[in-house]
Amino acid sequence: MKKTTLVIMAAGIGSRFGGGIKQLEPVGPNGEIIMDYSIYDAMEAGFNKVVFVIRKDLEEVFRDVIGNRIEKVVPVEYAFQEIDDLPDGFTVPEGRTKPWGTGQAILACRGLIHEPFAVINADDYYGKDSFKTLHDYLVEENHFDGKYNISMVGFILKNTLSDNGAVTRGVCEIDAGGNLMAVNETSGIVKTKTGAAFEKDGQMIEVDVESRVSMNMWGFEPEFFNELESGFREFLCNLSEGGKQEYLLPTIVDGLLKCSRANVKVLESKDKWVGVTYKEDKPVVVESIKELISSGKYPDRLYEMI
């Protein structure tokens, strides 16, 4: 079986780890968190290693809360995203207090991954079919041929909205062949009576609820680390005064598309995304997991069935 790795971006967990942090809120009947279900689905789909991206100062408590459990069912490694993990010649700008975004989070995995890999957020539930679709694509014979071969699971916008407030989504432009043309990061998207909209210059702009959106569920070949490394240097060289910008995966991929240096396949998913964007979202997630267990998609206790 071809090796594949699941990367979970969890470095955004704050210093109050274990004390009400949304990524660690129990949502399952036995205290399972969203990450537990993502890992279960990934293993079932065929992924055979997990890399957690965390902060170094949280390693011990992270292992206690989830890492030590997961190590019993699948090989686990840790990558550490730190604000001062910079290329030679660069220093942290004065006033900068947090790491550099999702691009740096994945770059932190260099040296740990030599096979195709998927990337997800720690606090998003993506659904079983999403993992299977992405895994199946990653194990196809897709070779690096001068352009980066990237895949992205595209969710239907209406399946990713919150009843409790606005969300930010990468709205995708896709050609007739299912290839990504552009990702338009759109903030402030809210449900409306007619669908969805966001505010711009004092006016509400409608968004097609059938649009495909990025939820940071990506597939990459290991060669992508070369791009992340060179791109991070360029990003740091072009920081504006104050240095508060972030090195973000959607922006990186969009830049590669604009200069024809990547092919990005959009893999369709009809799964309903759920996540804890707002504290009021938690009961929705809990009820969704309960229904999935009742329908037989998950056992009462995870991992025992694998």
Side-chain angles (χ1 to χ4, degrees), residues 154-167:
F155 291 79
I156 301 171
L157 175 59
K158 67 183 179 184
N159 289 342
T160 74
L161 297 174
S162 172
D163 290 322
N164 299 303
V167 297

Side-chain angles (χ1 to χ4, degrees), residues 5 49 51-52 77-80 108-115:
T5 289
K49 185 171 78 173
V51 175
F52 291 114
E77 294 198 68
Y78 293 85
F80 303 104
C109 302
R110 63 192 182 278
L112 298 178
I113 299 173
H114 307 284
E115 59 280 329

Side-chain angles (χ1 to χ4, degrees), residues 18 26-27 61 71 83 95 113 125 128 141 168 178 240 263 265 293:
V27 295
V61 70
E71 286 177 357
I83 189 173
I113 299 173
Y125 173 84
K128 286 181 172 294
E141 292 301 319
T168 297
S240 62
N263 295 318
K265 186 70 173 178
I293 292 172

Side-chain angles (χ1 to χ4, degrees), residues 1 14 25 31 49 76 132 148 156 162 202 217 232 249 253:
M1 180 187 296
E25 285 287 328
K49 185 171 78 173
V76 168
K132 185 176 188 318
Y148 293 104
I156 301 171
S162 172
M217 189 176 197
F232 192 37
L249 282 176
V253 172

Side-chain angles (χ1 to χ4, degrees), residues 18-271:
I21 303 303
K22 66 178 183 177
Q23 292 95 332
L24 301 174
E25 285 287 328
V27 295
N30 300 289
E32 295 91 348
I33 61 179
I34 289 178
M35 270 186 277
D36 281 309
Y37 290 95
S38 292
I39 293 166
Y40 183 90
D41 288 342
M43 291 169 58
E44 198 172 59
F47 288 91
N48 37 39
K49 185 171 78 173
V50 173
V51 175
F52 291 114
V53 183
I54 61 173
R55 293 207 326 260
K56 181 66 177 174
D57 63 305
L58 297 177
E59 180 181 9
E60 184 177 350
V61 70
F62 191 97
R63 287 178 184 271
D64 287 344
V65 172
I66 185 170
N68 291 340
R69 278 192 293 110
I70 300 304
E71 286 177 357
K72 295 175 182 177
V73 293
V74 67
V76 168
E77 294 198 68
Y78 293 85
F80 303 104
Q81 184 182 15
E82 299 292 339
I83 189 173
D84 57 356
D85 182 12
L86 300 172
D88 291 342
F90 293 92
T91 57
V92 178
E94 185 177 353
R96 179 90 191 192
T97 59
K98 62 178 184 177
W100 299 91
T102 51
Q104 190 211 15
I106 303 311
L107 183 55
C109 302
R110 63 192 182 278
L112 298 178
I113 299 173
H114 307 284
E115 59 280 329
F117 63 98
V119 172
I120 64 169
N121 294 330
D123 53 353
D124 290 330
Y125 173 84
Y126 294 97
K128 286 181 172 294
D129 289 343
S130 301
F131 284 99
K132 185 176 188 318
T133 300
L134 183 52
H135 177 270
D136 289 352
Y137 184 83
L138 286 173
V139 298
E140 291 177 5
E141 292 301 319
N142 300 303
H143 298 290
F144 181 68
D145 60 359
K147 282 190 176 185
Y148 293 104
N149 178 45
I150 300 171
S151 48
M152 184 203 83
V153 178
F155 291 79
I156 301 171
L157 175 59
K158 67 183 179 184
N159 289 342
T160 74
L161 297 174
S162 172
D163 290 322
N164 299 303
V167 297
T168 297
R169 298 289 180 257
V171 181
C172 302
E173 296 178 30
I174 305 169
D175 68 17
N179 299 300
L180 187 67
M181 299 168 63
V183 181
N184 302 308
E185 199 74 3
T186 307
S187 59
I189 302 176
V190 295
K191 282 187 176 182
T192 66
K193 291 181 180 179
T194 56
F198 65 96
E199 185 178 349
K200 184 178 182 181
D201 300 328
Q203 293 187 333
M204 295 302 290
I205 309 297
E206 290 288 324
V207 186
D208 183 0
V209 291
E210 299 296 333
S211 298
R212 295 284 166 175
V213 297
S214 167
M215 297 300 297
N216 257 349
M217 189 176 197
W218 299 93
F220 298 105
E221 300 288 331
E223 292 84 5
F224 189 63
F225 287 113
N226 298 329
E227 178 62 32
L228 288 175
E229 198 153 16
S230 61
F232 192 37
R233 278 187 163 277
E234 184 178 348
F235 166 84
L236 293 169
C237 285
N238 292 298
L239 279 178
S240 62
E241 188 173 350
K244 295 189 181 299
Q245 300 102 302
E246 294 196 346
Y247 187 51
L248 300 173
L249 282 176
T251 306
I252 296 163
V253 172
D254 195 46
L256 290 171
L257 285 171
K258 283 183 167 61
C259 61
S260 299
R261 295 184 55 223
N263 295 318
V264 184
K265 186 70 173 178
V266 179
L267 307 171
E268 294 190 357
S269 172
K270 294 182 180 178
D271 283 328

